[in-house]
Amino acid sequence: MRVCILGGGLSSLTLAKALVNQKIYVDVKVSANSFQSGKSRTIGISKNNLEFFNKYILNIDKITWKLKQIHIFSDNLKKEKLLNFENGKNQLFSILKNYSLYSILEKSLKKNKYFKKIILKRRKNDFESYDIVIVTDYFSLIAKKYFNKKIIKKYNSFAYTTIIEHKNISNDIATQIFTKDGPLAFLPISNNKTSIVYSINNSNIISSERIKDLIQNYNLKYKIKKIGKIESFELKSFNLRSYYNNKFLAFGDLLHKIHPLAGQGFNMTIRDIKIFLDLVKNRVNLGLPIDSSINSEFENKTKHINFIFANGVDLIHEFFNLERKIKNDNISKSIQFLGKNPSINKVFTTLADKGILI
Ligand SMILES: Cc1cc2nc3c(=O)[nH]c(=O)nc-3n(C[C@H](O)[C@H](O)[C@H](O)COP(=O)(O)OP(=O)(O)OC[C@H]3O[C@@H](n4cnc5c(N)ncnc54)[C@H](O)[C@@H]3O)c2cc1C
C-alpha cells in the first residue's frame, strides 16, 4: 500500500519520513513551480517535540541550537522583564534553520527505498491508485476544491525575518519584546548569529532600511556586525472547518496556520504527526489497511485541541494589541504578576512544550 503526500514543504517531508520509518511506501508529489522559503527563516522546536523528532523521525540534533531560557519584555514596562521561562539547566526550545531541516530530511528520504518524489508538470493529477492522499500544498487544485472552508483571520501585519551576525557571546537565551509595532523576537542560532522575527502591525510593507533601524533600536544585547537580507511574510491565521474529504486529508499549514509570535505553527504539525503515527501503528499492528477511515479518527483526536491551541495563541496577540490601542500597561502588569507565580509559569511552559497540560 502507498500513501500519497501532495506538496513538498517541511510538513510533507517530516510526515513522509515518519511513515517510511514504519515501512510504508510514500509518494511525495511536488509541483514543478513549488515555492521554497528563503534562507532567513528559522523554526523553534519545543523540547518535547525535538525528542519525538529525534526518536521517531530523524535525529536532527546536529542542526539545532539549544536555548535554556526565554525572556519576554514589553515596551510598556520599559526595561523591566515581563516573563521569564526556564527549565532548570535543561533546554527549553531549539532553533534551527528551515532550509537545514529541509535538506537533512530530503537527503535521508532520497536514500530510502519506501520513498518516491514525483514532480508534477501541472498541479492537476490522478489519485485513483491511492487509498489516502495527504494534502499540504494549499495552491493545489485539490486544496482549492476540498479545503477552502476555513475560519480565517487577517492580521493586517507582515512578519519580517533576517539573520544578524554579531560578536561572539554565550547565546542561549531567546528574547521577545512586545514593541508598540508588534512582537520582535531574537532567536539565537549560534554564538555569533541570531535569527530575527519581527511581526509588525501594518498592512503596508515596510522598507528593509526601516526594519534594520528598528532592530538596532531594540537590540541591547548584541554587537551587530551585519544584518542579512530582510524577507517578509503576510500574516494570517486559519483553521479548516473540515480536516478531510473522503480519502483526502489536509495537513500542516493547510490545516491550521497561526501567528508566529509563539513559535508554534510547525510544533502543532509535529504534534499532529505524533497522533497520526499512533493511528497508523495501531492499524499496522492489527493488520488493518491505512485507508481513508483513518482521516475521521485523526480529525476526532486533533481538531478540538488544535482549535483551542490556535485560539490561545491568537488571544496572546489580541491582549498585546489591545494594550497598544488603549495605551496603558494594565495587561502587561497582570501578566507579569501571573508569570511570577511558579505554578502558573509552569503551566505556560508546559503548554508551549507539549501543547497540552499533561
Ligand atoms: C515568520 C515565521 C516564523 C515562524 N516561526 C516558527 C517557529 O519558531 N516555530 C514553529 O513551530 N513554527 C514557526 N512558523 C510556522 C512554520 O514556519 C510553518 O508552520 C511551516 O513552515 C509550514 O510548513 P508546511 O510544509 O505546512 O507549509 P509550506 O512550507 O508553506 O508549504 C506547503 C506547500 O505549499 C507550497 N507553497 C507554499 N507557499 C507557496 C507559494 N507562495 N507559491 C506556491 N506554492 C507554495 C509549498 O511548495 C509546499 O509544497 C513560523 C512561520 C513564520 C511565517
Side-chain angles (χ1 to χ4, degrees):
M1 85 138 277
R2 264 177 202 280
V3 170
C4 173
I5 305 182
L6 190 53
L10 287 181
S11 301
S12 162
L13 297 194
T14 308
L15 179 60
K17 182 70 176 100
L19 292 174
V20 298
N21 289 351
Q22 300 301 317
K23 300 191 169 42
I24 292 170
Y25 286 95
V26 178
D27 289 352
V28 165
K29 296 196 169 186
V30 185
S31 142
N33 54 344
S34 85
F35 163 89
Q36 276 296 309
S37 61
K39 297 219 159 171
S40 73
R41 281 281 291 276
T42 55
I43 280 197
I45 298 186
S46 75
K47 179 174 178 285
N48 195 271
N49 276 341
L50 182 66
E51 283 165 0
F52 167 78
F53 214 109
N54 283 342
K55 191 163 175 198
Y56 293 99
I57 299 170
L58 182 67
N59 193 311
I60 52 169
D61 261 341
K62 64 172 187 247
I63 58 160
T64 61
W65 185 255
K66 311 264 186 299
L67 301 181
K68 294 206 174 108
Q69 291 186 40
I70 301 176
H71 294 175
I72 314 244
F73 296 86
S74 161
D75 253 358
N76 281 338
L77 294 178
K78 305 287 179 259
K79 288 184 180 143
E80 228 181 291
K81 215 180 282 168
L82 176 67
L83 288 167
N84 189 22
F85 296 112
E86 57 188 300
N87 185 15
K89 286 195 173 137
N90 297 323
Q91 92 200 52
L92 199 57
F93 236 69
S94 297
I95 307 288
L96 44 87
K97 291 179 182 151
N98 285 32
Y99 77 86
S100 303
L101 181 57
Y102 185 89
S103 309
I104 195 175
L105 281 166
E106 200 180 39
K107 197 170 158 206
S108 125
L109 280 165
K110 261 188 191 160
K111 303 189 284 216
N112 196 300
K113 67 171 182 179
Y114 292 93
F115 176 78
K116 200 154 92 188
K117 181 171 174 179
I118 299 164
I119 308 282
L120 302 173
K121 295 267 166 1
R122 292 165 297 137
R123 287 189 189 264
K124 191 166 179 284
N125 202 251
D126 183 14
F127 300 104
E128 281 290 304
S129 57
Y130 301 102
D131 290 329
I132 175 164
V133 179
I134 299 167
V135 188
T136 67
D137 181 354
Y138 30 80
F139 291 89
S140 63
L141 293 178
I142 295 291
K144 284 182 185 146
K145 187 169 173 192
Y146 296 127
F147 302 119
N148 55 12
K149 289 204 176 110
K150 41 185 94 136
I151 304 158
I152 192 160
K153 175 168 178 177
K154 286 202 170 190
Y155 287 106
N156 296 322
S157 316
F158 283 86
Y160 299 87
T161 60
T162 187
I163 308 256
I164 57 170
E165 287 175 30
H166 48 77
K167 280 204 161 162
N168 254 8
I169 57 163
S170 164
N171 205 14
D172 57 10
I173 301 174
T175 308
Q176 170 129 300
I177 308 163
F178 284 92
T179 77
K180 59 180 175 7
D181 295 309
L184 165 61
F186 290 85
L187 307 163
I189 49 170
S190 71
N191 280 336
N192 61 4
K193 284 193 183 131
T194 295
S195 140
I196 306 284
V197 180
Y198 198 175
S199 308
I200 297 193
N201 305 303
N202 193 324
S203 44
N204 298 318
I205 291 255
I206 293 171
S207 74
S208 294
E209 290 320 306
R210 174 81 187 122
I211 300 292
K212 287 182 182 175
D213 285 347
L214 288 167
I215 293 170
Q216 295 276 15
N217 284 346
Y218 280 105
N219 165 47
L220 297 172
K221 191 164 157 187
Y222 302 107
K223 291 214 163 67
I224 298 179
K225 290 181 179 168
K226 185 181 162 197
I227 302 184
K229 186 171 173 253
I230 309 273
E231 292 183 85
S232 58
F233 305 89
E234 194 187 0
L235 294 181
K236 51 184 150 183
S237 71
F238 59 73
N239 277 290
L240 275 190
R241 284 183 194 271
S242 181
Y243 277 24
Y244 68 97
N245 187 304
N246 295 316
K247 67 176 175 183
F248 297 98
L249 173 68
F251 223 90
D253 268 19
L254 172 65
L255 199 55
H256 38 62
K257 199 172 173 110
I258 58 171
H259 196 290
L261 73 91
Q264 286 288 336
F266 190 57
N267 279 291
M268 285 177 78
T269 296
I270 298 176
R271 289 180 201 120
D272 285 345
I273 291 177
K274 239 182 245 180
I275 292 173
F276 191 77
L277 205 56
D278 278 346
L279 294 175
V280 166
K281 282 194 214 159
N282 277 345
R283 278 168 185 245
V284 171
N285 289 340
L286 293 169
L288 296 170
I290 317 291
D291 59 17
S292 60
S293 61
I294 208 169
N295 292 348
S296 60
E297 266 185 80
F298 174 74
E299 183 183 275
N300 285 342
K301 284 196 181 288
T302 52
K303 196 173 171 184
H304 58 291
I305 305 174
N306 286 338
F307 185 77
I308 295 169
F309 192 84
N311 277 292
V313 172
D314 186 52
L315 200 63
I316 302 174
H317 171 264
E318 286 308 318
F319 269 148
F320 287 100
N321 215 10
L322 178 70
E323 189 173 66
R324 185 174 56 86
K325 282 183 193 150
I326 58 179
K327 293 191 177 99
N328 82 30
D329 61 5
N330 287 345
I331 294 175
S332 286
K333 287 230 162 96
S334 315
I335 294 173
Q336 189 183 41
F337 177 75
L338 289 172
K340 279 183 182 154
N341 177 316
S343 315
I344 296 177
N345 191 295
K346 187 142 195 294
V347 167
F348 288 149
T349 313
T350 310
L351 267 175
D353 189 29
K354 298 182 179 166
I356 45 170
L357 282 176
I358 45 169

